[in-house]
Amino acid sequence: EAQVTQNPRYLITVTGKKLTVTCSQNMNHEYMSWYRQDPGLGLRQIYYSMNVEVTDKGDVPEGYKVSRKEKRNFPLILESPSPNQTSLYFCASSPSSQGNQPQHFGDGTRLSIL
Amino acid sequence: AQKITQTQPGMFVQEKEAVTLDCTYDTSDPSYGLFWYKQPSSGEMIFLIYQGSYDQQNATEGRYSLNFQKARKSANLVISASQLGDSAMYFCAMRELYSSASKIIFGSGTRLSIRP
């Protein structure tokens, strides 16, 4: 089954404790992206990647890191999480960075930073 | 700079009525794509419909259609014969197709509630 898999689905942690949210897709997609969803703000793009070893900042990259060492994986790293990073996070992928292909989304990761 | 505006935070509609969800956008790129996604209470994001800036006709997918008015920079989603299962959050999104930035931006969403 074609899918984008995020882990964990839920995480409660404390300020400053490094964490990684994994994202994997099995569709051989070139384009992958991370979003955070906050009430009243919709989804905001954190980072995106157009292919292996190619990443770029979205609109809200501060406090986050990503890497794209393999085509299928695009982990989101919070080196020193803070309470303002409490949010619902989505990973998404699409075949390429252009064209009319919609993104496939993971089921989301709800992070609570205390 | 890209911008998407959804001016209706919430809407209530009677079952079986048609509903229009508003979306206006701003971009300097002549080539772009517009997407609508549905997010039910379970949280997943479901792709509904796509409209390209050069498409001559309005997009349709089953009960969903897009009222695309390029000169007004609006891409409203129309849901015909609404059903209880249409109750969800709806997001409009835009991608500049030939921009090297390849960013995708979303509106703030509209929460649609269908009354029985």
Side-chain angles (χ1 to χ4, degrees):
Chain A
E1 181 190 350
Q3 58 187 1
V4 177
T5 304
Q6 294 178 228
N7 279 297
R9 293 289 315 279
Y10 304 91
L11 179 64
I12 302 173
T13 187
V14 295
T15 299
K17 186 177 181 183
K18 180 179 178 180
L19 67 92
T20 299
V21 185
T22 63
C23 175
S24 180
Q25 50 93 5
N26 62 1
M27 296 167 280
N28 202 36
H29 285 174
E30 290 184 350
Y31 186 92
M32 297 187 74
S33 183
W34 276 103
Y35 300 89
R36 61 178 288 173
Q37 182 179 1
D38 301 290
L41 298 177
L43 279 77
R44 292 179 292 167
Q45 197 170 34
I46 303 170
Y47 270 94
Y48 60 93
S49 169
M50 289 191 276
N51 215 324
V52 176
E53 302 291 2
V54 180
T55 62
D56 211 341
K57 296 177 181 178
D59 289 323
V60 287
E62 295 79 19
Y64 305 95
K65 283 175 57 177
V66 293
S67 67
R68 187 91 181 273
K69 294 187 172 63
E70 307 163 285
K71 201 170 189 179
R72 62 183 294 127
N73 295 324
F74 190 46
L76 178 71
I77 302 155
L78 285 71
E79 293 269 5
S80 183
S82 62
N84 64 11
Q85 293 177 297
T86 292
S87 187
L88 177 60
Y89 290 85
F90 285 100
C91 180
S93 72
S94 60
S96 75
S97 60
Q98 297 175 358
N100 64 350
Q101 305 113 345
Q103 294 182 91
H104 298 249
F105 282 81
D107 288 337
T109 295
R110 190 166 291 282
L111 283 183
S112 293
I113 316 293
L114 305 178
Chain B
Q2 300 178 76
K3 187 176 180 181
I4 291 273
T5 302
Q6 294 180 254
T7 57
Q8 307 152 308
M11 289 185 71
F12 286 89
V13 171
Q14 203 66 31
E15 190 180 8
K16 298 195 178 85
E17 289 183 351
V19 57
T20 298
L21 305 181
D22 294 342
C23 174
T24 58
Y25 60 91
D26 193 19
T27 177
S28 56
D29 193 327
S31 301
Y32 51 88
L34 295 155
F35 303 81
W36 277 92
Y37 290 88
K38 172 184 179 181
Q39 186 181 42
S41 57
S42 50
E44 73 267 32
M45 295 288 287
I46 302 167
F47 166 70
L48 295 178
I49 196 167
Y50 167 84
Q51 180 82 44
S53 59
Y54 291 121
D55 292 345
Q56 294 296 312
Q57 297 197 339
N58 287 343
T60 60
E61 288 287 347
R63 292 186 301 111
Y64 304 109
S65 62
L66 216 151
N67 183 2
F68 181 49
Q69 298 186 46
K70 193 171 181 177
R72 297 180 62 185
K73 292 190 174 179
S74 76
N76 299 338
L77 177 70
V78 180
I79 306 174
S80 63
S82 57
Q83 303 171 356
L84 296 178
D86 294 332
S87 293
M89 197 77 172
Y90 289 81
F91 292 100
C92 180
M94 179 171 66
R95 167 185 259 174
E96 292 174 342
L97 297 185
Y98 299 114
S99 164
S100 60
S102 289
K103 288 183 182 179
I104 301 170
I105 61 165
F106 284 75
S108 55
T110 296
R111 184 171 299 281
L112 177 64
S113 300
I114 308 297
R115 292 193 181 110

